[in-house]
Amino acid sequence: MKKYQFTFYEKGCKKIFKTYKHQEKTIKDNIIQQVSNLVNNDFNRIKPASKRRINNFPLYECRVNLPKIPDIRNAFFINQDKINVIYITNNITKADFTAEIEKFIDTHSNIKF
């Protein structure tokens, strides 16, 4: 199983981490575990988040189930052995998430990692 290094883009993750500030570590740990597992084993549950690209990489999304707090959906891109999470929301409806991520990309077009 390939090991990935994760980074979290502050502007896209801040709202969730602020809302659930006491569970930030749990949220990050679950994202790391579930996304790594999906990327390594079951990529069919990962879907494109947008037709647009971030730093010339395709943007993906997947739902992450969390214990004791609402589930989340996150957007990320993969650069070799790095997974960069750029956006997290607990709006898990795919159509609403897509609209959110498109708006986020429009207002943060200069995302750099």
Side-chain angles (χ1 to χ4, degrees), residues 19-97:
T19 302
Y20 302 103
K21 59 184 163 197
H22 298 301
Q23 289 95 354
E24 182 176 343
K25 182 178 178 347
T26 301
I27 293 169
K28 285 182 177 179
D29 290 347
N30 276 276
I31 289 172
I32 290 168
Q33 178 192 9
Q34 291 182 41
V35 171
S36 293
N37 189 37
L38 289 173
V39 169
N40 281 320
N41 300 312
D42 194 18
F43 211 87
N44 64 341
R45 288 189 51 209
I46 296 174
K47 298 170 179 57
S50 173
K51 292 181 181 177
R52 296 156 75 183
R53 297 169 79 86
I54 302 294
N55 297 337
N56 280 335
F57 295 101
L59 190 61
Y60 299 107
E61 62 87 7
C62 70
R63 180 177 173 162
V64 175
N65 301 316
L66 299 170
K68 299 180 183 177
I69 56 177
D71 295 340
I72 58 171
R73 194 173 287 273
N74 70 93
F76 61 93
F77 66 92
I78 304 169
N79 179 1
Q80 296 174 1
D81 63 342
K82 295 178 183 160
I83 295 178
N84 303 287
V85 178
I86 66 158
Y87 191 76
I88 303 172
T89 183
N90 50 359
N91 187 351
I92 59 172
T93 306
K94 174 65 170 136
D96 295 340
F97 175 80

